[in-house]
Amino acid sequence: MVITDTHTHLYSEAFDDDRDEVINNAMELGVERFFIPAIDSTYTQSMLDLETKYPDNVFLMMGLHPTHVKENYKEELSHVEKLLSERKFCAVGEIGIDLYWDKTFLKQQQEAFVYQIRLAKKYKLPIVIHCRESFDEIFEILEQEKGEGLYGIFHCFTGTLEQAHQAISYNMKLGIGGVATFKNGKIDQFLKHIDLKHIVLETDSPYLAPVPYRGKRNESAYIIKVLEKLALIYDKTLEDIASITTDNSKMVFGI
């Protein structure tokens, strides 16, 4: 059983004391594929170091996270573009719009999102979308940019059934993680109406740990709890869920 974590920040400072142990614990459970989203240029070297140590298991994205779109965002976008031109990445991400913490840079977030979508199209890469309290703003841009070259993953999907169908209409898979196990997560109530071919698994570790670890540091090994939840929702075996979602990740990332 091969399990794919399509979204994990393994380079995070939260893992500085036991990173190798965390990765090995996940691998022992069958998590063999770790897809690593970028945040900003300050994390690039840590990401590259991680890939060097685990070249067969770790796959890097490149992008500017919306909460890190600040006054220097054009410099950061130049860094993203430079790296994409120099070496191979599996996706442009995580990119998008986040209006939960701060709306100050909404215009710049929108500009950065469009710019990075077009970079992804240029390099024929998928995008991985971060959306927090910004479905309308995200969908407005996806509607503008939709077409053959637009595809990817709607990371940490927490919307409604209607929003799920709309995301899928833009060639997006839905990234499902710990929220599916929350009592108030809501997405578990309609997921069975979404064909499994549209679903990939993720942890977003060290964030959003599933029940029974909610509130603690998340790690890739805990993706098993998401797998178990989806097996219940879809009435399938763990092996079936792992196989289908891993195949879906291969379709997106080409890896």
Short mmCIF file of all heavy atoms in Angstrom, two decimals, residues 56-87:
data_model
loop_
_atom_site.label_atom_id
_atom_site.label_comp_id
_atom_site.label_asym_id
_atom_site.label_seq_id
_atom_site.Cartn_x
_atom_site.Cartn_y
_atom_site.Cartn_z
N ASP A 56 14.25 10.13 -3.59
CA ASP A 56 13.24 9.22 -4.16
C ASP A 56 11.85 9.42 -3.55
O ASP A 56 10.88 8.81 -4.03
CB ASP A 56 13.67 7.76 -3.95
CG ASP A 56 14.95 7.44 -4.68
OD1 ASP A 56 15.18 8.01 -5.76
OD2 ASP A 56 15.74 6.62 -4.17
N ASN A 57 11.77 10.24 -2.52
CA ASN A 57 10.50 10.36 -1.78
C ASN A 57 9.97 11.78 -1.68
O ASN A 57 8.77 11.97 -1.47
CB ASN A 57 10.67 9.81 -0.36
CG ASN A 57 11.21 8.40 -0.35
OD1 ASN A 57 12.41 8.20 -0.22
ND2 ASN A 57 10.34 7.41 -0.50
N VAL A 58 10.85 12.76 -1.80
CA VAL A 58 10.48 14.16 -1.59
C VAL A 58 10.46 14.90 -2.93
O VAL A 58 11.43 14.84 -3.70
CB VAL A 58 11.47 14.83 -0.62
CG1 VAL A 58 11.40 16.34 -0.71
CG2 VAL A 58 11.20 14.37 0.82
N PHE A 59 9.35 15.60 -3.20
CA PHE A 59 9.17 16.31 -4.46
C PHE A 59 8.77 17.75 -4.15
O PHE A 59 7.81 18.00 -3.42
CB PHE A 59 8.10 15.61 -5.30
CG PHE A 59 8.36 14.13 -5.46
CD1 PHE A 59 7.69 13.22 -4.65
CD2 PHE A 59 9.30 13.67 -6.37
CE1 PHE A 59 7.95 11.85 -4.76
CE2 PHE A 59 9.56 12.31 -6.49
CZ PHE A 59 8.88 11.40 -5.69
N LEU A 60 9.51 18.68 -4.72
CA LEU A 60 9.37 20.10 -4.36
C LEU A 60 8.50 20.90 -5.31
O LEU A 60 8.54 20.73 -6.53
CB LEU A 60 10.76 20.76 -4.32
CG LEU A 60 11.82 20.13 -3.43
CD1 LEU A 60 13.09 20.99 -3.48
CD2 LEU A 60 11.34 19.96 -2.00
N MET A 61 7.72 21.80 -4.72
CA MET A 61 7.00 22.83 -5.47
C MET A 61 7.79 24.14 -5.33
O MET A 61 8.67 24.26 -4.48
CB MET A 61 5.60 23.05 -4.90
CG MET A 61 4.79 21.78 -4.72
SD MET A 61 3.16 22.14 -3.98
CE MET A 61 2.74 20.53 -3.31
N MET A 62 7.43 25.11 -6.13
CA MET A 62 8.00 26.45 -5.99
C MET A 62 6.88 27.46 -6.12
O MET A 62 6.02 27.33 -7.00
CB MET A 62 9.08 26.69 -7.05
CG MET A 62 9.74 28.06 -7.01
SD MET A 62 10.25 28.68 -5.37
CE MET A 62 11.31 27.37 -4.76
N GLY A 63 6.87 28.44 -5.22
CA GLY A 63 5.82 29.45 -5.27
C GLY A 63 5.91 30.39 -4.09
O GLY A 63 6.73 30.21 -3.19
N LEU A 64 5.05 31.40 -4.10
CA LEU A 64 4.96 32.38 -3.01
C LEU A 64 3.60 32.26 -2.35
O LEU A 64 2.56 32.49 -2.97
CB LEU A 64 5.17 33.80 -3.54
CG LEU A 64 5.02 34.93 -2.52
CD1 LEU A 64 6.05 34.80 -1.40
CD2 LEU A 64 5.14 36.30 -3.20
N HIS A 65 3.61 31.87 -1.08
CA HIS A 65 2.39 31.68 -0.28
C HIS A 65 1.67 33.02 -0.11
O HIS A 65 2.32 34.05 0.14
CB HIS A 65 2.81 31.12 1.09
CG HIS A 65 1.69 30.60 1.93
ND1 HIS A 65 0.72 31.43 2.46
CD2 HIS A 65 1.40 29.35 2.37
CE1 HIS A 65 -0.12 30.70 3.18
NE2 HIS A 65 0.27 29.43 3.14
N PRO A 66 0.35 33.04 -0.22
CA PRO A 66 -0.36 34.33 -0.16
C PRO A 66 -0.16 35.11 1.13
O PRO A 66 -0.16 36.35 1.10
CB PRO A 66 -1.83 33.94 -0.35
CG PRO A 66 -1.91 32.48 -0.11
CD PRO A 66 -0.58 31.93 -0.50
N THR A 67 0.01 34.43 2.27
CA THR A 67 0.21 35.19 3.51
C THR A 67 1.60 35.81 3.57
O THR A 67 1.89 36.61 4.47
CB THR A 67 0.00 34.30 4.77
OG1 THR A 67 0.97 33.25 4.77
CG2 THR A 67 -1.41 33.73 4.81
N HIS A 68 2.46 35.44 2.64
CA HIS A 68 3.81 36.02 2.57
C HIS A 68 3.94 37.01 1.42
O HIS A 68 5.05 37.40 1.06
CB HIS A 68 4.85 34.90 2.48
CG HIS A 68 5.02 34.16 3.77
ND1 HIS A 68 6.19 34.15 4.50
CD2 HIS A 68 4.13 33.43 4.50
CE1 HIS A 68 6.02 33.43 5.60
NE2 HIS A 68 4.79 32.98 5.62
N VAL A 69 2.81 37.39 0.84
CA VAL A 69 2.79 38.47 -0.14
C VAL A 69 2.78 39.78 0.64
O VAL A 69 1.76 40.17 1.22
CB VAL A 69 1.56 38.37 -1.07
CG1 VAL A 69 1.47 39.60 -1.97
CG2 VAL A 69 1.63 37.10 -1.91
N LYS A 70 3.93 40.43 0.68
CA LYS A 70 4.10 41.68 1.44
C LYS A 70 4.67 42.76 0.51
O LYS A 70 4.61 42.63 -0.71
CB LYS A 70 5.04 41.45 2.63
CG LYS A 70 4.60 40.32 3.57
CD LYS A 70 3.29 40.61 4.28
CE LYS A 70 2.93 39.50 5.26
NZ LYS A 70 1.59 39.69 5.86
N GLU A 71 5.31 43.78 1.11
CA GLU A 71 5.85 44.89 0.32
C GLU A 71 6.86 44.41 -0.72
O GLU A 71 6.99 44.99 -1.80
CB GLU A 71 6.51 45.93 1.22
CG GLU A 71 5.53 46.73 2.08
CD GLU A 71 5.21 46.05 3.41
OE1 GLU A 71 5.59 44.86 3.58
OE2 GLU A 71 4.58 46.69 4.27
N ASN A 72 7.59 43.32 -0.39
CA ASN A 72 8.65 42.84 -1.28
C ASN A 72 8.19 41.73 -2.22
O ASN A 72 8.99 40.95 -2.71
CB ASN A 72 9.83 42.33 -0.44
CG ASN A 72 9.49 41.03 0.30
OD1 ASN A 72 8.31 40.78 0.60
ND2 ASN A 72 10.48 40.22 0.59
N TYR A 73 6.89 41.66 -2.48
CA TYR A 73 6.35 40.50 -3.22
C TYR A 73 6.93 40.37 -4.63
O TYR A 73 7.07 39.27 -5.14
CB TYR A 73 4.82 40.54 -3.25
CG TYR A 73 4.20 41.50 -4.23
CD1 TYR A 73 3.64 41.05 -5.42
CD2 TYR A 73 4.17 42.87 -3.98
CE1 TYR A 73 3.06 41.92 -6.32
CE2 TYR A 73 3.60 43.74 -4.87
CZ TYR A 73 3.05 43.28 -6.04
OH TYR A 73 2.49 44.15 -6.93
N LYS A 74 7.27 41.49 -5.26
CA LYS A 74 7.84 41.40 -6.61
C LYS A 74 9.21 40.75 -6.60
O LYS A 74 9.55 39.98 -7.51
CB LYS A 74 7.87 42.78 -7.27
CG LYS A 74 6.48 43.30 -7.62
CD LYS A 74 6.51 44.54 -8.48
CE LYS A 74 5.09 44.95 -8.88
NZ LYS A 74 5.07 46.21 -9.66
N GLU A 75 10.00 41.03 -5.57
CA GLU A 75 11.30 40.35 -5.42
C GLU A 75 11.09 38.86 -5.21
O GLU A 75 11.82 38.03 -5.77
CB GLU A 75 12.07 40.93 -4.22
CG GLU A 75 12.52 42.35 -4.37
CD GLU A 75 13.02 42.92 -3.04
OE1 GLU A 75 13.62 42.16 -2.26
OE2 GLU A 75 12.79 44.12 -2.80
N GLU A 76 10.11 38.52 -4.39
CA GLU A 76 9.81 37.11 -4.13
C GLU A 76 9.35 36.39 -5.41
O GLU A 76 9.72 35.25 -5.66
CB GLU A 76 8.75 36.97 -3.03
CG GLU A 76 9.28 37.28 -1.64
CD GLU A 76 10.22 36.20 -1.10
OE1 GLU A 76 10.14 35.05 -1.55
OE2 GLU A 76 11.06 36.53 -0.25
N LEU A 77 8.52 37.06 -6.20
CA LEU A 77 8.07 36.46 -7.46
C LEU A 77 9.23 36.28 -8.42
O LEU A 77 9.28 35.29 -9.17
CB LEU A 77 6.97 37.32 -8.09
CG LEU A 77 5.62 37.33 -7.37
CD1 LEU A 77 4.66 38.31 -8.03
CD2 LEU A 77 5.01 35.93 -7.31
N SER A 78 10.19 37.20 -8.39
CA SER A 78 11.39 37.05 -9.23
C SER A 78 12.19 35.82 -8.81
O SER A 78 12.74 35.10 -9.65
CB SER A 78 12.27 38.31 -9.13
OG SER A 78 11.62 39.41 -9.70
N HIS A 79 12.24 35.59 -7.50
CA HIS A 79 12.92 34.40 -6.97
C HIS A 79 12.23 33.14 -7.47
O HIS A 79 12.88 32.18 -7.92
CB HIS A 79 12.92 34.44 -5.44
CG HIS A 79 13.45 33.21 -4.79
ND1 HIS A 79 14.80 32.93 -4.71
CD2 HIS A 79 12.81 32.16 -4.19
CE1 HIS A 79 14.97 31.77 -4.10
NE2 HIS A 79 13.79 31.28 -3.77
N VAL A 80 10.90 33.13 -7.41
CA VAL A 80 10.13 31.97 -7.90
C VAL A 80 10.42 31.72 -9.37
O VAL A 80 10.71 30.59 -9.79
CB VAL A 80 8.61 32.21 -7.67
CG1 VAL A 80 7.79 31.14 -8.40
CG2 VAL A 80 8.28 32.21 -6.19
N GLU A 81 10.36 32.79 -10.16
CA GLU A 81 10.57 32.64 -11.61
C GLU A 81 11.99 32.17 -11.92
O GLU A 81 12.20 31.32 -12.80
CB GLU A 81 10.28 33.97 -12.31
CG GLU A 81 10.30 33.87 -13.81
CD GLU A 81 9.60 35.02 -14.50
OE1 GLU A 81 9.35 36.06 -13.84
OE2 GLU A 81 9.28 34.87 -15.70
N LYS A 82 12.96 32.69 -11.20
CA LYS A 82 14.36 32.29 -11.41
C LYS A 82 14.55 30.80 -11.14
O LYS A 82 15.16 30.08 -11.92
CB LYS A 82 15.26 33.12 -10.49
CG LYS A 82 16.75 32.79 -10.60
CD LYS A 82 17.57 33.75 -9.75
CE LYS A 82 19.06 33.51 -9.91
NZ LYS A 82 19.49 32.24 -9.27
N LEU A 83 14.00 30.34 -10.01
CA LEU A 83 14.14 28.92 -9.65
C LEU A 83 13.45 28.02 -10.67
O LEU A 83 13.97 26.97 -11.05
CB LEU A 83 13.58 28.66 -8.26
CG LEU A 83 14.54 28.73 -7.05
CD1 LEU A 83 15.46 27.54 -7.01
CD2 LEU A 83 15.33 30.02 -7.02
N LEU A 84 12.25 28.42 -11.12
CA LEU A 84 11.52 27.62 -12.11
C LEU A 84 12.30 27.51 -13.41
O LEU A 84 12.21 26.49 -14.11
CB LEU A 84 10.14 28.23 -12.37
CG LEU A 84 9.09 28.04 -11.27
CD1 LEU A 84 7.87 28.92 -11.56
CD2 LEU A 84 8.67 26.58 -11.16
N SER A 85 13.05 28.54 -13.74
CA SER A 85 13.82 28.53 -14.99
C SER A 85 15.10 27.71 -14.87
O SER A 85 15.67 27.29 -15.88
CB SER A 85 14.19 29.97 -15.41
OG SER A 85 15.18 30.51 -14.55
N GLU A 86 15.55 27.47 -13.63
CA GLU A 86 16.83 26.81 -13.41
C GLU A 86 16.75 25.31 -13.19
O GLU A 86 17.70 24.59 -13.47
CB GLU A 86 17.54 27.45 -12.20
CG GLU A 86 18.04 28.85 -12.45
CD GLU A 86 18.65 29.48 -11.20
OE1 GLU A 86 18.53 28.91 -10.09
OE2 GLU A 86 19.25 30.55 -11.35
N ARG A 87 15.63 24.83 -12.67
CA ARG A 87 15.55 23.41 -12.32
C ARG A 87 14.09 22.94 -12.33
O ARG A 87 13.18 23.75 -12.47
CB ARG A 87 16.19 23.14 -10.96
CG ARG A 87 15.73 24.05 -9.84
CD ARG A 87 15.80 23.35 -8.51
NE ARG A 87 14.82 22.27 -8.43
CZ ARG A 87 14.93 21.23 -7.61
NH1 ARG A 87 15.95 21.12 -6.81
NH2 ARG A 87 13.98 20.30 -7.58
#
